[in-house]
Amino acid sequence: MLSTILTKSFSKDTALLILRVITGTVLIHHGYEKLANIENFADAFVRPLHLPFPIFLSYIAAFSEIGGSWLLIIGLATRFGALAIVGTISVAIYHALVTSGFNIFLLELLLLYFASATSIALTGPGNFSLDEVIIRILKSEEVDEIISPKKSKTSKEVEIKEEVNKGGLFQFLQANILSDTSS
């Protein structure tokens, strides 16, 4: 058990899970705050940048933070969610630089969000994510399609295959994800 925990893959995947969940959890409230008073946000942050359609862009910013955060938390379309956050935070960094110059007190939290989301976008979600489960299911179906034309299945093999398919998601996760950590 200890060797499983100390493996590089397990540690990396656990670190990515922690980074995804914490980044998404602490960032999500910013999107909800924007939605609570969208006009105020547009006046304070979008209009000073002289961007067109400030209300529309304010909604885009709010929904990219909310949606991107949820995608990070659950690990579904993780890179897409991280890129949505990177885009929104990039504009926030630009706003901070234009309005206040290089003020580290304004920039530090934005830069941490930017670094976290960029790291997730570049490395991916790790094995502890729905993205990885979907990829493994698709790969196993792909392998089954390649193997099945090569040999004809007896009725006994078909019955075994059906029993395995009835096992469900939990057994799939246990057989595939947990087996990878023990090697």
Side-chain angles (χ1 to χ4, degrees):
M1 179 67 181
L2 185 60
S3 64
T4 301
I5 293 172
L6 296 177
T7 62
K8 185 176 182 179
S9 176
F10 183 81
S11 299
K12 181 187 106 179
D13 294 327
T14 304
L16 285 169
L17 174 68
I18 292 167
L19 183 64
R20 278 189 4 249
V21 170
I22 290 177
T23 301
T25 302
V26 297
L27 182 62
I28 199 167
H29 79 90
H30 291 288
Y32 286 120
E33 285 178 358
K34 287 174 182 60
L35 285 180
N37 194 346
I38 203 76
E39 186 70 38
N40 185 37
F41 175 78
D43 289 338
F45 294 98
V46 181
R47 285 192 176 100
L49 296 177
H50 307 291
L51 294 172
F53 313 112
I55 299 294
F56 176 73
L57 291 176
S58 297
Y59 277 112
I60 296 292
F63 287 122
S64 69
E65 285 180 359
I66 294 168
S69 294
W70 277 114
L71 292 175
L72 289 185
I73 291 167
I74 63 175
L76 180 65
T78 309
R79 286 187 166 149
F80 178 75
L83 289 175
I85 291 170
V86 166
T88 302
I89 296 299
S90 296
V91 174
I93 290 170
Y94 176 72
H95 176 270
L97 289 171
V98 166
T99 58
S100 301
F102 191 80
N103 183 343
I104 193 65
F105 298 109
L106 292 175
L107 290 173
E108 65 183 350
L109 183 60
L110 294 172
L111 292 173
L112 285 171
Y113 285 141
F114 181 83
S116 297
T118 302
S119 298
I120 293 166
L122 293 174
T123 60
N127 284 337
F128 305 132
S129 66
L130 289 179
D131 286 343
E132 184 64 26
V133 172
I134 291 169
I135 289 170
R136 287 178 187 235
I137 290 171
L138 292 175
K139 282 184 181 177
S140 70
E141 289 174 359
E142 202 173 276
V143 169
D144 289 345
E145 289 174 5
I146 293 170
I147 293 173
S148 51
K150 290 184 179 178
K151 65 177 185 177
S152 66
K153 295 180 181 176
T154 64
S155 62
K156 183 85 168 168
E157 289 174 345
V158 172
E159 288 176 24
I160 292 171
K161 178 78 172 164
E162 288 175 358
E163 286 179 26
V164 170
N165 287 340
K166 290 179 185 176
L169 182 63
F170 179 73
Q171 288 181 347
F172 174 82
L173 291 173
Q174 186 177 17
N176 290 298
I177 292 180
L178 296 178
S179 66
D180 282 354
T181 59
S182 62
S183 57

